[in-house]
Amino acid sequence: MDFAFDEDQEELRRTVRAFLEATAPEAETRRTMETEAGYDQALWRRMGSELGLQGLAIPEEHGGAGAGPVEVGLVMEEMGRAMLCAPYLASAVQATTALLHSDDEEARTELLPALAAGEQVATLALTEDSARWNREGVTLTARAGADGGWLLDGHKTFVLDGAQADVVLTVARATDGIGIFLVAGDAPGLTRTTLPTLDLTRRQARLEYRDVPARRLRTRGDGWELVEVVLRHSAVALAAEQVGVASRALEMAVEYAKVRHQFGRAIGSFQAVKHLLADSLMEVESARAAAYAALLSAQNGEGDLPMAASLAKSLCSDASVKVTQDNIQVHGGIGFTWEHPAHLYFKRAKTSQLLLGDSAYHRELLAQAIGV
Amino acid sequence: MDISYPPEAEAFREEVKDFLAEQLPADWPGIGALDEEPAWEFSRKWRELLAERGYLSVTWPREHGGRGLSKLHQVVLMEELAQAGVPFGMPHDTFGVKMLANTLLRWGSEEQKKHFLPRILAGEDVWCQGYSEPDAGSDLASLTTRAELDGDEWVINGQKVWTSGAHHSDWIFVLARTNQEAPKHGGISFLLVPLNQPGVEVRPFRMMSGQLHFNEVFFTDARTRADLVVGGVDNGWTVAQSLLGVERGEEAATNPILFKAELERLIELARMYGKDRDPVIRQRIAWCWAKVETMRNLGYRILTGWLKGAAPGPESSIAKLYWSEYHLQVTDLAMDIMGMHAQVPVGRPPLRTFRADDPGAANSSGSWSTTYLVARSGTIYAGTSQVQRNILAEKVLGLPREPRAAQK
């Protein structure tokens, strides 16, 4: 019985935290979120070459560390704490999971080493204007072209880091079912537009496809099954990120409540504030327990992953929105300003709650998974 | 990360499973399936059997009739009993076996241990707890029941309240003020007092659920022997504090089992009332499921710390706050599922006074509506939700203490 990270995992956490504190303080987040790319490419390469963060879940023969979802989740948690601007969820989780669980060793050999090293970025393009996370939402079409290739027509939107990615794994409808197609970021016929996002620390893009040449990723069975696997692993990783976002927001609120004085007392000595923060602590601890259980389930490839993923996604998202919102409340007027970081955490929490399906959607999936 | 138990605990689990398989019928639905009288009869016999096999005293040292096993063994036992739908002793064993015996093992004199422990185990003495007073609830240390030495006896005067089961008990362990000069927490002693004497009057009163459970206990020149003080005169606050948390590790493991069984019963209730396709009800069921699963995982985290030897600390407030607040919600959902039928209780109320009804209980409005009412007490007893939040804010988050009112 040891529901805690082991020593290697704790060492990884300490390393990542120290690295991010040194290289990505708030000032860097604010600088980076205003840049066109939305992330620091030099830092991304260092994360790959010095720490190997992008390749944690990638086997050693493809240039990774051969660890798994627990380690990836731990990194997501730390990146959430640091409010890092980086395409980690898109590239190291979504695209990497799709490749790892595909039946396409050739694609793995070709793409994974560059992703692991931080030399390239990949993403998954699934949602369209209907903003649906299910199979029916996929209307972009794939038709067979010359010499075994494919041509894609349609659009995708809300694509994480879609304007920056070197490779876009595009979910499309072919005559024989749903497939995942590898599209180069600079492919002819592909138009990419960065969307104005509420959360400036994670880029999204709209992609228009006009006869875009693509290669089909080989999958076991229908491609949608693989998309579901990717969505579950992404939900678990994002839940872990929410734990980091929420726990840092709680720390901020507690630090402030100890030093801010009104009526001659630290505001944290008033029960109205104490109870708000105690409830936030409950939310953070619950979210942590749910996220870690889901990471363990993802790591062990257990059959309860659909349940654990939807549970963690809804519970951790709701917790993070509440805690980041209460952080603003505890800070009072200053918490509502652009200068204070509280809004960065709140916006990340809320947009992540909506991303990959909102909490009501995941609770319905959970109800189905438990047989109701 | 590894949430499996070590082999010695799993070996013990097998032993307990074998014991249960041997003692219970194959189709045993849980004690909840029995009517009131047969259930009490079963409980009494079951308790004797547990005591005889050493299952009431798993962690006690061998010289006191225990098996000398670890806390984890106790957790495993509690898990298996909860899974099987059988109780750990009688309701009063919470006070005798769990609270007083553990206190005596830690603080008692050799004479106290030798005299009381075998009697507790055999069920010869039934115990209750005398802590709260009309003017000392959350602020327990302001209690005013006092005890004064008169020769070789303590003379006790004052009143206790919320005394569970006093009307069926032989003895009460009492926190009483033995030093009027000492600071609030410093002048309290932990005394063992026989109930059957002229100076003690026990008055039961009815809870809002209609059940008789609590009592007022009045002490008017009640007496007990001078040597029946546990852990030293004026040291009662420390003794009482050390008890908190004794059960927490077990509860971390057993609450999720109890509440999962209750939730499965609620899902069945939703099907019975044709509400399982209602999207709002589905959302609320899924929310409850997420809470109970997370209760289990929070429990593993608490258990991990507990087994690594961390003293039971403020995380026990997380567990208490978590389950009691959850229980308000799930019982409210049950009422909403039953709708108009909920306000017409049919069928017997739960046999156990607190938390969920027992496994096997009929899925009736009588069961759920009582549980719904009783759930309102969960956020009050054993430390209100507000006190738990204060503890979390001050002990875990390190926020400044509330300025105290000047002492009288």
Side-chain angles (χ1 to χ4, degrees):
Chain A
M1 169 60 59
D2 192 0
F3 192 36
F5 292 109
D6 64 29
E7 190 40 45
D8 287 349
Q9 290 163 337
E10 286 300 342
E11 178 59 31
L12 173 66
R13 183 196 289 286
R14 284 191 291 273
T15 305
V16 174
R17 187 171 296 186
F19 178 81
L20 292 178
E21 278 170 1
T23 59
E26 185 192 335
E28 267 309 292
T29 297
R30 288 180 180 271
R31 186 189 67 75
T32 311
M33 74 187 193
E34 303 288 354
T35 62
E36 199 190 330
Y39 75 101
D40 182 332
Q41 283 145 306
L43 184 63
W44 182 252
R45 277 191 294 272
R46 282 185 62 194
M47 281 166 46
S49 58
E50 291 176 26
L51 302 184
L53 301 186
Q54 293 93 318
L56 277 172
I58 295 174
E60 287 171 20
E61 71 260 30
H62 295 307
V70 169
E71 286 75 12
V72 168
L74 194 151
V75 170
M76 284 289 288
E77 184 184 339
E78 290 303 316
M79 288 179 171
R81 274 183 68 87
M83 203 41 57
L84 180 73
C85 302
Y88 196 81
L89 178 60
S91 193
V93 179
Q94 295 193 308
T96 298
T97 305
L99 290 165
L100 289 176
H101 290 260
S102 75
D103 197 24
D104 202 329
E105 186 60 18
E106 196 186 332
R108 275 194 285 272
T109 305
E110 183 192 324
L111 295 171
L112 287 177
L115 296 184
E119 287 157 14
Q120 286 207 332
V121 167
T123 189
L124 179 81
L126 167 63
T127 41
E128 303 178 5
D129 285 337
S130 64
R132 296 173 71 171
W133 299 94
N134 56 17
R135 173 198 284 268
E136 288 67 40
V138 180
T139 67
L140 185 141
T141 58
R143 66 180 198 279
D147 55 32
W150 293 76
L151 293 169
L152 306 188
D153 279 285
H155 80 280
K156 292 288 169 184
T157 190
F158 316 119
V159 181
L160 297 181
D161 304 292
Q164 292 76 32
D166 301 289
V167 183
V168 181
L169 279 71
T170 305
V171 183
R173 191 169 288 279
T175 49
D176 61 344
I178 300 290
I180 300 177
F181 296 84
L182 303 172
V183 175
D186 56 1
L190 180 66
T191 314
R192 309 196 285 179
T193 315
T194 297
L195 296 170
T197 41
L198 196 65
D199 171 14
L200 296 174
T201 64
R202 183 145 52 210
R203 286 285 187 275
Q204 294 180 22
R206 182 181 175 84
L207 276 56
E208 297 282 349
Y209 297 73
R210 296 272 176 277
D211 294 333
V212 174
R215 197 177 106 207
R216 189 170 189 166
L217 188 69
R218 274 192 298 281
T219 57
R220 299 180 203 96
D222 188 75
W224 184 255
E225 287 166 30
L226 178 55
V227 173
E228 284 193 327
V229 170
V230 173
L231 288 176
R232 283 170 199 146
H233 281 263
S234 306
V236 173
L238 190 54
E241 185 189 275
Q242 290 279 38
V243 172
V245 170
S247 60
R248 181 64 199 122
L250 175 59
E251 284 174 17
M252 279 196 264
V254 170
E255 285 160 16
Y256 189 71
K258 286 178 185 172
V259 297
R260 169 72 174 170
H261 280 66
Q262 289 288 277
F263 305 103
R265 291 159 58 177
I267 61 169
S269 71
F270 291 106
Q271 288 199 347
V273 175
K274 272 186 190 164
H275 289 193
L276 191 79
L277 293 174
D279 284 339
S280 285
L281 173 69
M282 293 291 289
E283 295 290 337
V284 169
E285 288 303 310
S286 305
R288 202 182 289 286
Y292 291 176
L295 290 176
L296 202 56
S297 174
Q299 183 100 339
N300 297 339
E302 282 168 14
D304 70 350
L305 181 59
M307 193 187 91
S310 283
L311 190 163
K313 175 63 173 62
S314 57
L315 191 139
C316 297
S317 291
D318 292 357
S320 188
V321 169
K322 184 214 156 0
V323 172
T324 55
Q325 175 176 296
D326 288 347
N327 181 37
I328 295 173
Q329 181 69 22
V330 168
H331 278 84
I334 191 79
F336 191 67
T337 61
W338 188 266
E339 282 69 27
H340 197 277
H343 73 102
L344 301 176
Y345 286 79
F346 178 60
K347 289 168 179 172
R348 176 74 78 85
K350 183 63 199 176
T351 52
S352 299
Q353 185 189 40
L354 302 175
L355 188 64
L356 301 173
D358 65 18
S359 296
Y361 173 78
H362 279 285
R363 276 192 292 269
E364 175 54 33
L365 291 186
L366 177 56
Q368 290 168 22
I370 61 177
V372 179
Chain B
M1 272 196 241
D2 173 19
I3 50 176
S4 61
Y5 287 17
E8 68 274 17
E10 290 304 331
F12 182 67
R13 188 186 301 283
E14 287 314 307
E15 178 202 312
V16 175
K17 276 181 188 291
D18 288 347
F19 164 74
L20 292 168
E22 168 197 310
Q23 298 297 333
L24 298 170
D27 56 352
W28 172 252
I31 189 172
L34 301 178
D35 274 338
E36 199 164 343
E37 264 315 303
W40 282 115
E41 194 46 41
F42 174 85
S43 290
R44 274 187 287 271
K45 286 192 181 143
W46 185 249
R47 187 203 185 279
E48 272 174 38
L49 187 62
L50 290 179
E52 191 186 300
R53 300 292 183 92
Y55 288 128
L56 288 184
S57 52
V58 166
T59 61
W60 298 15
R62 288 177 181 281
E63 70 260 36
H64 294 299
R67 291 187 53 179
L69 297 172
S70 74
K71 294 185 286 193
L72 188 58
H73 290 85
Q74 176 72 12
V75 167
V76 166
L77 171 70
M78 298 304 281
E79 284 182 346
E80 290 306 316
L81 295 178
Q83 289 286 9
V86 285
F88 176 78
M90 300 281 283
H92 63 74
D93 286 313
T94 300
F95 305 104
V97 169
K98 285 189 184 175
M99 300 180 97
L100 183 63
N102 280 306
T103 303
L104 291 176
L105 285 168
R106 167 93 190 268
W107 297 96
S109 65
E110 275 315 303
E111 295 73 41
Q112 288 169 348
K113 289 187 215 175
K114 280 205 183 97
H115 177 75
F116 287 110
L117 290 176
R119 298 178 61 86
I120 290 172
L121 211 49
E124 287 170 49
D125 293 339
V126 172
W127 284 86
C128 63
Q129 177 195 35
Y131 279 15
S132 296
E133 298 181 4
D135 290 325
S138 293
D139 183 14
L140 182 61
S142 68
L143 58 89
T144 56
T145 293
R146 53 177 210 284
E148 286 156 324
L149 269 183
D150 173 27
D152 56 359
E153 281 187 329
W154 292 102
V155 179
I156 303 150
N157 282 284
Q159 185 194 343
K160 295 291 174 183
V161 72
W162 316 120
T163 314
S164 305
H167 53 309
H168 300 307
S169 301
D170 311 305
W171 285 81
I172 183 168
F173 49 95
V174 173
L175 289 182
R177 197 160 292 287
T178 41
N179 184 340
Q180 303 293 332
E181 312 307 317
K184 193 167 157 182
H185 297 84
I188 294 170
S189 297
F190 190 107
L191 301 177
L192 309 178
V193 182
L195 280 170
N196 186 15
Q197 59 169 306
V200 176
E201 188 191 351
V202 174
R203 291 187 205 154
F205 59 87
R206 215 167 276 282
M207 302 192 292
M208 78 183 214
S209 59
Q211 296 157 296
L212 278 177
H213 176 76
F214 290 124
N215 302 273
E216 296 174 288
V217 180
F218 297 87
F219 299 93
T220 312
D221 292 332
R223 290 183 170 260
T224 196
R225 277 193 353 239
D227 63 347
L228 292 182
V229 57
V230 180
V233 175
D234 294 352
N235 195 36
W237 188 257
T238 309
V239 173
Q241 289 292 107
S242 75
L243 241 184
L244 303 173
V246 161
E247 297 170 62
R248 302 301 192 191
E250 292 168 31
E251 292 205 347
T254 54
N255 270 340
I257 295 173
L258 197 66
F259 288 123
K260 175 64 77 68
E262 182 188 50
L263 184 56
E264 280 166 353
R265 204 161 141 257
L266 178 131
I267 291 170
E268 199 43 49
L269 188 76
R271 292 196 184 105
M272 280 165 57
Y273 281 85
K275 296 286 181 69
D276 57 318
R277 308 312 303 170
D278 178 324
V280 176
I281 297 292
R282 292 172 68 80
Q283 285 286 312
R284 291 172 70 186
I285 289 174
W287 183 90
C288 287
W289 190 278
K291 292 294 271 193
V292 174
E293 272 293 303
T294 302
M295 193 189 300
R296 184 166 63 95
N297 290 313
L298 270 173
Y300 287 145
R301 284 176 61 76
I302 291 171
L303 211 51
T304 297
W306 191 63
L307 294 171
K308 283 180 179 172
E315 76 281 357
S316 62
S317 291
I318 292 180
K320 167 72 195 340
L321 190 54
Y322 191 95
W323 77 253
S324 60
E325 295 286 329
Y326 159 77
H327 209 219
L328 296 179
Q329 303 298 322
V330 70
T331 53
D332 196 45
L333 174 55
M335 297 297 275
D336 292 351
I337 285 171
M338 293 183 292
M340 288 301 283
H341 298 280
Q343 39 108 43
V344 182
V346 175
R348 67 151 177 76
L351 301 170
R352 65 165 77 210
T353 313
F354 295 108
R355 300 193 204 178
D357 203 344
D358 286 298
N363 225 340
S364 68
S365 55
S367 166
W368 281 107
S369 65
T370 303
T371 302
Y372 168 72
L373 296 177
V374 165
R376 311 301 114 177
S377 72
T379 50
I380 299 169
Y381 68 73
T384 65
S385 291
Q386 286 65 40
V387 165
Q388 306 299 351
R389 289 188 181 102
N390 282 351
I391 293 171
L392 293 177
E394 291 173 9
K395 302 276 169 61
V396 180
L397 298 177
L399 291 168
R401 289 182 66 137
E402 185 90 357
R404 302 283 145 153
Q407 279 192 26
K408 282 183 283 187

